[in-house]
Amino acid sequence: MTVPIPIEQILVQTVNGIVSGMILALVASGLTLIFGIMDVVNFAHGELVMLGAFVGATTLASTGSFWLAFVTAALVIALFGAVLQASTLRPLLGRDPLTTILATFGISLVLQKYALWQWGPSARKIQEPITGQFHLFYLEYPWYRVATAIFAAAIIGALWLFLRRGKYGIWIRAATQDRIMASAMGIPVPLVHTLVFAIGAGMAAASGVLFGPLGGVTQTMGFDFTLRAFIVVVVGGMGNLGGSILASIFVSLLEAYASLVVSPAQAVIASFVALILTLLFRPTGLFVPTPK
Amino acid sequence: MLALENVHTYYGKSHILHGVSIEVGRGEVVGLLGRNGVGKSTTLKTTMGLVRPAEGRVVFEGKDLAGLAPHKVAHVGIAYVPEDRRIFRLLSVLENLRTGLERPGLSAERRQALLEKVYASFPVLRERRNQAGGTLSGGEQQMLAIARAMMLEPKIILLDEPTEGLMPRMVSQIREIIAILHREGVAILLVEQNVPLTLEVSSRVYIMEKGQVRHHAPAAELRGNHAVIHQYLGV
């Protein structure tokens, strides 16, 4: 290890880390929102990314419009998420966390097999809507990658505004803090849960479509998202939206830098190390104020 | 207006309420006294739909509330101020109040009028409206909890130990608030440990022991009858 890493490579990996971090943040913010309000760790979250990507790819193939595919996938999967929550998770509310972990794990298997049956085993490609490239040191860097990061940031910003302003934002935040008092104040908590799950599902689908041109669409792509989003949600502090977003970028940067010295497949180890260290030393999350 | 009829409530296997029957008339302030752990708070929680009665009925304006979700109980006109206040700590004071204002059919003017009304009764809440609920003092949190319940324009408020742990100055403020609510025609079911306050503001008082109502009398009668108070409450 005497050869120094050129600064250009580090900068390129920084951009790469931020881009994949923003896509991950889009997945993780839905996961953390759902956990925060329902205490449900949704192990089928990655499958919602995958279904979104497939719905997007199918819509793109028949209409030719990426943005139409993007919106369709988000809406279809949001609706699907609402039905899924109302039919399978609502009856389990308040049970042992193990029950919902098993239930969502079961759902993830069903959705994977459904995708295999519906769309077959071969990977689909989503054509990127923005094709140009620009000079980034020694690379021709695709504009689309930068656009995904900006786009993901815009969606997360919109979510933040939605939670800060207006009736549903207050309902969601009140129900997240105290489900019982929220319902005593007349807030229809079961409906709020369904709404939050639908939002999380829609955001997962949006990430699936955005990710499609970068990594391809397969029925097994979901697991990787679930795993990475889960790491990020723990590292950022369970149920903490801002923490999850920071942790997404942090973990993705960590992996990007690690892949400078080891192969990208081994770089994943860096996120697990971050996960384990967080659980050991800051179990409430890295990006939350120290509990008093 | 509100009647609990022979209500039995369990927490798991422990039998908490053994056939409680209580009535509150329109605009009436009714006290519910008793030692710790006799089921006073459970009586309020059962009324609110937070705990389901195993037996018996909770009737409000002729309608049986049993099995209704708490948010639907709130919609028929019952508001709840819990013992531990349960302020939404990360929401601002104004947002705490807004949890009760985002109801269908409530015009923007009416919302503003309701806010102005509680700000007039609790000026400190106006000052602190943009502060997080969790940063308020205990007394201020109690006021916010009551003000938040008032946002629902309830016909009855279930008030669980509002003076617990408050300084005497705050206690007299709570007494005033109860008087204001009473003047406005809001009924109150008041659970308290503070016997003099309860006897002063209530028209009737129920005394509970071991999950049952043991005594029921007009407050005026109990004010002079220390024997009963001593027997059930040991004060």
Side-chain angles (χ1 to χ4, degrees), chain A residues 151-165 199 203:
Chain A
F151 213 65
I155 295 172
I156 291 168
L159 172 73
W160 190 83
L161 280 179
F162 176 77
L163 290 176
R164 285 290 128 188
R165 316 214 179 282
I199 292 172
M203 288 174 71

Side-chain angles (χ1 to χ4, degrees), chain A residues 8-77:
Chain A
E8 290 87 354
Q9 274 194 25
I10 295 177
L11 287 173
V12 166
Q13 283 306 78
T14 306
V15 178
N16 277 336
I18 290 173
V19 168
S20 54
M22 288 315 293
I23 294 180
L24 183 58
L26 209 51
V27 183
S29 39
L31 191 67
T32 203
L33 212 56
I34 290 167
F35 176 81
I37 198 164
M38 286 175 248
D39 298 324
V40 166
V41 179
N42 179 22
F43 275 97
H45 211 66
E47 270 58 45
L48 298 172
V49 176
M50 178 269 293
L51 283 184
F54 270 112
V55 171
T58 312
T59 315
L60 179 61
S62 57
T63 65
S65 160
F66 178 88
W67 300 111
L68 184 65
F70 179 82
V71 173
T72 307
L75 291 180
V76 167
I77 300 304

